[in-house]
Amino acid sequence: MSLILRRATAEFVGTAFLVMAVVGSGIAASRLSPNDAGLALLENSVATGAALIALIVALQPVSASFNPVVTLVERVLGMIDGPTATALIVAQFAGGLAGTVVANLMFGLDAVSFSSHERTGPGLWLGEIVATVGLLLIVFGTVRSGRADRVAFAVGGYIAAAYWFTSSTSFANPAVTIARTISDTFSGIAPASAPGFIAAQLLGGVSGFLLIRFLYPALTAAEQAADRKVIT
């Protein structure tokens, strides 16, 4: 099996399970806590953060971006080539949609039901920019400081927190955003609201990339080793 196929499969499976965690826990939370939106969000955020940690730990040896913005930044940084990036992004979008369908079916809902949950406005778009910049800072800052083995815990913790400190509840992922349009549940987003979120995520991606390049310029092997000693 080719490396690209293995990586694409990992991205498909990982993104599918991530979306199952987001949508499935959102459905469960709304049923368990129908009169307490705050508690439902807490349940949703904890489940998502925990699932992210587990998925990244398991799939990181193969591929564990689960996010087209992260993959695009990897491409621009020269970490992967064009064909690989394309394959991974396609797998992420396909996996996200598959994950939503499975989550809907697990809870006895229609496989596809377009969301009526409108999420729009400057405040929410700013929230998505902030969420995406922060995510990229966590991912690439952790990797470039020589602590790639800690990415799972850093990302899972950040996303669980960003559910609360961003106005948008931190989608920060175009594949997940599209996937959440086909579930008319707690975690859904109306299809008409998705383009604004994705545009904000891409803007956050550009901003995050520039920040990463400024904070973590390319280092020699010796400099990386010295940097790791200082940081740890």
Side-chain angles (χ1 to χ4, degrees):
M1 184 182 295
S2 71
L3 178 58
I4 291 181
L5 180 57
R6 287 178 58 231
R7 296 192 67 178
T9 301
E11 290 293 334
F12 177 90
V13 172
T15 309
F17 271 92
L18 170 59
V19 173
M20 278 187 258
V22 174
V23 175
S25 66
I27 297 170
S30 64
R31 291 181 180 181
L32 293 170
S33 308
N35 300 314
D36 192 334
L39 180 57
L41 183 61
L42 177 62
E43 294 160 347
N44 194 200
S45 64
V46 169
T48 301
L52 259 177
I53 293 172
L55 289 167
I56 295 173
V57 167
L59 294 174
Q60 191 175 19
V62 184
S63 188
S65 297
F66 316 146
N67 189 329
V69 174
V70 173
T71 299
L72 286 171
V73 173
E74 288 178 328
R75 175 66 188 97
V76 176
L77 290 173
M79 299 170 67
I80 57 177
D81 59 26
T84 299
T86 300
L88 299 188
I89 290 171
V90 170
Q92 289 158 359
F93 277 103
L97 291 169
T100 301
V101 169
V102 172
N104 286 338
L105 292 174
M106 282 196 296
F107 286 90
L109 303 175
D110 292 338
V112 174
S113 56
F114 290 103
S115 177
S116 59
H117 189 172
E118 294 186 5
R119 302 175 189 257
T120 187
L124 296 183
W125 299 329
L126 177 59
E128 278 301 286
I129 294 172
V130 170
T132 307
V133 170
L135 176 62
L136 294 177
L137 179 63
I138 296 300
V139 171
F140 293 98
T142 305
V143 170
R144 289 202 159 201
S145 59
R147 298 174 290 182
D149 59 326
R150 305 178 192 178
V151 168
F153 304 96
V155 171
Y158 172 77
I159 291 298
Y163 261 67
W164 291 88
F165 75 75
T166 63
S167 57
S168 62
T169 66
S170 185
F171 285 48
N173 186 327
V176 171
T177 301
I178 293 297
R180 290 168 68 169
T181 64
I182 62 170
S183 184
D184 192 17
T185 59
F186 180 82
S187 301
I189 177 173
S193 299
F197 265 53
I198 293 172
Q201 291 157 5
L202 293 175
L203 180 56
V206 173
S207 302
F209 165 74
L210 294 174
L211 181 61
I212 291 299
R213 286 299 301 269
F214 177 76
L215 294 176
Y216 301 95
L219 303 175
T220 66
E223 289 171 332
Q224 288 176 347
D227 188 53
R228 285 197 292 272
K229 291 179 181 178
V230 171
I231 291 174
T232 57

